[in-house]
Amino acid sequence: MANEIFVTAERCTGCSLCVKTCPVDAIKMIERPQHPNKWKLATINEKCVFCNACVVECDRLAEKTKKTDVFHAIVMHKDASTAPVIDTTLYKGVWCFAEQRHGKIVPTIYELLHVGGKMAKVLDEQLCVVLMGHGVKETAQDLIDHGADKVYVLDHPKLARFLEGAYAPILKDLILKEKPNKFLMAASAVGRSLAPRLAVMTHTGITADATEFDINPTTKMMHATRPSFGGNLMATILCERSRPEMATMRPMSFPMAKKVPGHKGEVKIVPIDDSMIQPREEFVEFIPDQDSASDISTAEVVVSGGKGVGNAKGFELLRELAKALGGEAVGASRAAVDSGWISYPHQIGLTGRTVRPKLYIACGISGQVQHLAGMSQAEVVVAINKDADCPMMKLATYALQGDLYEIIPAILAALKKPNTPALT
Ligand code: FAD
């Protein structure tokens, strides 16, 4: 049996949401003048990669509208035995995708180079970087200095801003031609939208948001591990039958690659012509985030508050402490965010941001596993808590037992004293 997908005409309302969902432009709407309501009909062509996205969307509408006579219109039968069997030995190299924003490289590439560099060493393969954008070529040498053996530069004015529809087809062509073994991206907004689309287009699997990576020395397969079931379980995911093995890496989970003195590498310019860039989306405007939370991920000092802070006003005290320590970054537990005391971009943890500061001060945070997932890589942790036995106090480098409303003012007063030594 081969893969099959078809539309049940009597259940299709012609809503065309499946067209918007399809990553490979395989669905077209056709007129249906004979239909009593003149509803159009979705038709699926040979470009279909059986990714299931349209099926899910159509089923979702059925759930949402609670209609039983329409939707659930797309039916797919996937035959695992027809998945292409590939010769995995043809795939070589560990590739990392370098994101750029406004022409500047995003530092997560150095974390990817750290992770990818270790893999490349075990595999004895090249460590490569894909650098896409406009006017980004100058950065290539810096990536080589940080361990890259080869940098593929894809430079074009139309690639200056990230658009999935522009980036994905070009990357797909490059992957199919060059056959990398592993492909790593950051689990950033860009990576989270680009990586799954690429995985579908190149018929491979992907592990999203991994926080640990390993190479099995015997099978040479990547073991990508990510938190599952709310962080209560760690799942290690393998991609056995297809290549490249893809994964997105949770930013701030790994150290940055260091410069490798004297390291040499190759810069390969990939020719791109206008006709290759036909996105369905359009870049309209960039509106910078005014919220100071936008920089907590990279801050050296983060002062965080939890349920123990008690109210929104209490976060002013935490801001004051952050400022006194030379920063501005204020984080929060989910309990504080859910209480409405501070906005979601400040949330740290499994379902929030990951931080890796030099100093993390946790005020009134008990230290549940979901919170620790976002900050356990901090160099020094100071916990301020009434409960000496809570997990955060056990994990902390310095545990200060007591009421945060007494301890923080005391620290502020001490910091204001002349000749107080720097804390960081
Ligand atoms: P609590 O656990 O209630 O702890 C409050 C602490 O404050 C206590 O230790 C108490 O002793 C102390 N305290 C009280 N008053 C004072 C005072 N005056 N001075 C000093 N100390 C005081 N949580 C996150 O943080 N981030 C996430 O991303 C996240 N994702 C989640 C995802 C899932 C799927 C699930 C199920 C949960 C998630 N959680 C997350 C929630 C998490 O499980 C905890 O509920 C949450 O972290 C608890 O927040 P808290 O430590 O502020 O509150």
Side-chain angles (χ1 to χ4, degrees):
M1 191 186 94
N3 289 334
E4 276 184 345
I5 187 160
F6 55 88
V7 179
T8 316
E10 55 273 26
R11 300 193 68 87
C12 177
T13 64
C15 73
S16 82
L17 279 177
C18 52
V19 177
K20 294 184 183 128
T21 314
C22 177
V24 292
D25 211 10
I27 310 181
K28 299 275 176 268
M29 302 307 296
I30 57 166
E31 298 296 334
R32 216 176 358 162
Q34 75 280 17
H35 192 280
N37 302 324
K38 304 277 181 282
W39 284 348
K40 290 183 179 178
L41 175 67
T43 55
I44 302 176
N45 62 36
E46 70 294 338
K47 284 191 198 166
C48 176
V49 291
F50 302 96
C51 70
N52 207 41
C54 57
V55 180
V56 170
E57 186 63 9
C58 197
D59 291 353
R60 193 183 64 80
L61 278 173
E63 303 294 322
K64 199 173 160 196
T65 58
K66 307 260 182 274
K67 291 196 170 156
T68 51
D69 52 338
V70 288
F71 304 123
H72 283 308
I74 309 178
V75 181
M76 187 172 86
H77 299 300
K78 205 163 181 182
D79 178 6
S81 66
T82 62
V85 178
I86 58 156
D87 179 357
T88 54
T89 60
L90 297 176
Y91 291 73
K92 296 279 179 229
V94 179
W95 283 27
C96 305
F97 179 79
E99 258 177 59
Q100 54 84 23
R101 235 166 270 161
H102 316 298
K104 277 200 184 141
I105 206 92
V106 179
T108 40
I109 182 59
Y110 300 104
E111 279 182 79
L112 290 172
L113 282 172
H114 169 87
V115 173
K118 282 184 156 183
M119 289 189 197
K121 209 168 175 186
V122 178
L123 295 164
D124 194 20
E125 292 179 10
Q126 280 199 320
L127 176 62
C128 305
V129 174
V130 183
L131 183 55
M132 280 179 103
H134 184 48
V136 289
K137 190 182 156 216
E138 283 65 40
T139 322
Q141 187 54 49
D142 186 54
L143 298 169
I144 291 171
D145 293 345
H146 283 82
D149 299 310
K150 193 188 274 185
V151 179
Y152 292 91
V153 178
L154 298 100
D155 196 301
H156 192 281
K158 285 192 187 166
L159 298 177
R161 306 278 190 177
F162 170 70
L163 286 177
E164 269 180 24
Y167 276 43
I170 294 177
L171 262 178
K172 177 203 79 178
D173 288 348
L174 188 67
I175 289 172
L176 294 181
K177 180 166 173 265
E178 300 285 333
K179 297 189 169 37
N181 188 357
K182 322 284 177 214
F183 193 99
L184 307 175
M185 301 180 83
S188 58
V190 168
R192 281 171 204 235
S193 93
L194 184 57
R197 181 176 287 238
L198 258 186
V200 166
M201 289 171 124
T202 55
H203 299 270
T204 191
I206 182 164
T207 305
D209 220 9
T211 53
E212 288 169 37
F213 291 94
D214 219 341
I215 295 285
N216 180 310
T218 314
T219 62
K220 310 288 186 214
M221 277 196 331
M222 177 167 76
H223 288 205
T225 304
R226 51 154 300 154
S228 300
F229 296 102
N232 292 318
L233 269 184
M234 297 301 280
T236 298
I237 297 167
L238 312 184
C239 176
E240 288 181 317
R241 296 163 57 122
S242 44
R243 294 289 180 276
E245 290 161 86
M246 273 193 192
T248 58
M249 173 212 73
R250 190 171 242 242
M252 310 306 285
S253 300
F254 295 92
M256 307 250 177
K258 296 207 164 56
K259 281 199 173 180
V260 186
H263 184 72
K264 298 261 181 301
E266 179 193 347
V267 178
K268 192 164 175 179
I269 309 288
V270 181
I272 296 172
D273 74 58
D274 250 28
S275 64
M276 294 162 76
I277 309 173
Q278 313 257 333
R280 287 194 289 182
E281 323 89 292
E282 185 189 348
F283 173 79
V284 179
E285 189 187 0
F286 172 72
I287 303 171
D289 188 356
Q290 301 295 340
D291 195 325
S292 62
S294 56
D295 46 26
I296 64 171
S297 299
T298 50
E300 294 203 338
V301 178
V302 177
V303 179
S304 266
K307 192 84 179 165
V309 173
N311 52 52
K313 200 163 173 287
F315 276 88
E316 289 306 319
L317 187 62
L318 271 57
R319 270 190 198 99
E320 207 184 316
L321 179 58
K323 272 206 175 119
L325 293 168
E328 285 202 342
V330 173
S333 72
R334 178 160 155 181
V337 171
D338 287 351
S339 302
W341 303 336
I342 189 160
S343 60
Y344 170 71
H346 295 263
Q347 183 175 315
I348 289 169
L350 190 67
T351 43
R353 290 176 183 236
T354 305
V355 294
R356 203 188 172 90
K358 287 190 174 159
L359 175 62
Y360 188 84
I361 306 186
C363 311
I365 299 179
S366 59
Q368 301 309 308
V369 62
Q370 294 88 355
H371 187 82
L372 302 185
M375 48 65 63
S376 57
Q377 300 293 324
E379 269 178 42
V380 172
V381 176
V382 175
I384 305 173
N385 204 301
K386 282 180 175 172
D387 176 7
D389 295 322
C390 71
M392 187 63 88
M393 294 287 270
K394 300 261 190 247
L395 169 136
T397 327
Y398 301 102
L400 310 180
Q401 189 190 359
D403 188 332
L404 66 93
Y405 286 100
E406 289 170 13
I407 293 176
I408 296 178
I411 296 174
L412 284 169
L415 287 170
K416 278 178 195 152
K417 277 193 190 150
N419 306 324
T420 305
L423 285 187
T424 53

